[in-house]
Amino acid sequence: MKVLLATQKPFAAKAVEGIEGILTGAGHEVVRLEKYAGQADLVAAVADADALIIRSDKVTAEVIAAAPSLKIVVRAGAGYDNVDLAAATARGIVVMNTPGQNSNAVAELAIAMMIFMARNQFNPTTGAEIQGKTVGIQAFGNVGRLVGRKAKALGMDLLALDPFLMPEQIASGGAEPVTTVEELYRRSDYVSVHIPALPATIRSIGYDLIMKMPKGATLVNTARKEVIDEDGLMRALEDRPDLKYITDVAPDNYLLLKERFGLRVFATPKKMGAQTAEANINAGLAAARQIAGYFATGDTRFQVNR
Ligand code: 3PG
């Protein structure tokens, strides 16, 4: 089978080597499309692909329509909001993710972001320490739990909210469970966002919620920009000069935010939460194994479009 590794943001060389090793060893052919300029390149490259490995690359209905042989798409990572699931499902294409494989990298970045903002973006003014502060973890999944473990080791108090977990499950992960998102924001010096981008969560973090945060609080977003109501965020930063926002995905209004709020806001130039050699290897190799397994035995364990 022909497997297209389409990564606009390429994996580390070691990960690519590992992916190629697994797939060629299983009798498949690997073709690479890296650092491509636009969607048209992806549309052209999928023409004869049987399988696709992607990162945040956009697998739209147009891409799927241009790939008549496509049988499986594996998102090497957690969030699969970049794949048109309905279009894939309509064609009988299996879509998988590789849950947990890049979580540690994202969790480490979330911690780094808290410290970076506590120290005024490493500007030599008097900052603050995160020890003794409370972090509210919004969604206690693979990344949220790891953020909790690391934050606890740094002396922070943990709160967590997760509508899919029982309070005891949150408590067993070392955090105090809270029952409403308002309580989470009201009680947290830092809120670390780990919710997926879904119709119910898109733009769900807005003015009212952000305004509930205590004095000097920081909102840390290593999830998706779409979960933030950007106008609401802007108004909250305007009305509350003590609040800060840091994100791994630049909001659409970032230039304006930066201009107005300076060191109180920061966005990475390109999403970098999962951009470590270790995460690339973990997620990339898992994706390759999942494709090899699917073609060898029909294994659909990590399918997300059943
Ligand atoms: C994920 O959902 O796994 C992360 O957002 C990582 O995305 P990336 O592979 O584009 O870095």
Side-chain angles (χ1 to χ4, degrees), residues 9 11 54-57 75-81 102 106 222-224 271-275:
K9 187 172 58 186
F11 276 135
I54 50 157
R55 298 185 65 180
S56 290
D57 307 80
R75 194 283 190 238
Y80 46 88
D81 48 312
N102 58 17
V106 180
T222 53
R224 292 288 183 267
K271 188 160 61 146
M272 58 172 287
Q275 198 63 335

Side-chain angles (χ1 to χ4, degrees), residues 94-264:
V94 170
V95 180
M96 297 183 186
N97 64 352
T98 64
Q101 299 291 352
N102 58 17
S103 305
N104 189 66
V106 180
E108 285 189 10
L109 184 71
I111 298 287
M113 285 181 148
M114 287 183 222
I115 297 174
F116 184 59
M117 292 309 267
R119 295 301 183 100
N120 302 327
Q121 299 190 22
F122 300 157
N123 163 300
T125 51
T126 301
E129 297 177 21
I130 61 169
Q131 173 171 264
K133 306 294 191 305
T134 298
V135 57
I137 300 170
Q138 191 175 2
F140 209 49
N142 289 320
V143 181
R145 278 175 182 263
L146 285 168
V147 169
R149 267 176 42 193
K150 295 172 198 304
K152 196 162 210 149
L154 291 165
M156 299 185 85
D157 296 321
L158 311 185
L159 304 175
L161 175 77
D162 194 312
F164 299 102
L165 296 178
M166 301 299 285
E168 309 79 65
Q169 292 174 295
I170 291 180
S172 75
E176 178 188 334
V178 297
T179 46
T180 67
V181 70
E182 288 77 15
E183 183 185 358
L184 188 80
Y185 276 68
R186 188 169 46 74
R187 293 179 56 197
S188 301
D189 300 302
Y190 294 85
V191 170
S192 193
V193 181
H194 304 291
I195 52 176
L198 298 169
T201 61
I202 287 173
R203 282 190 293 281
S204 63
I205 301 170
Y207 181 82
D208 291 345
L209 208 47
I210 297 168
M211 288 295 282
K212 293 207 167 13
M213 296 180 87
K215 194 164 169 41
T218 301
L219 181 60
V220 180
N221 182 12
T222 53
R224 292 288 183 267
K225 68 174 182 176
E226 288 80 3
V227 301
I228 305 288
D229 166 7
E230 294 184 4
D231 294 337
L233 169 69
M234 168 106 83
R235 279 196 294 132
L237 290 169
E238 197 86 68
D239 290 357
R240 287 274 308 274
D242 58 301
L243 295 181
K244 297 177 185 172
Y245 180 60
I246 183 162
T247 176
D248 188 25
V249 201
D252 294 336
N253 61 356
Y254 184 50
L255 287 181
L256 199 56
L257 287 182
K258 199 71 205 151
E259 191 183 295
R260 285 203 192 166
F261 308 116
L263 289 180
R264 292 169 53 211

Side-chain angles (χ1 to χ4, degrees), residues 4-27:
L4 177 68
L5 173 61
T7 49
Q8 208 282 327
K9 187 172 58 186
F11 276 135
K14 250 210 147 93
V16 175
E17 215 175 278
I19 291 167
E20 288 178 339
I22 290 167
L23 288 167
T24 53

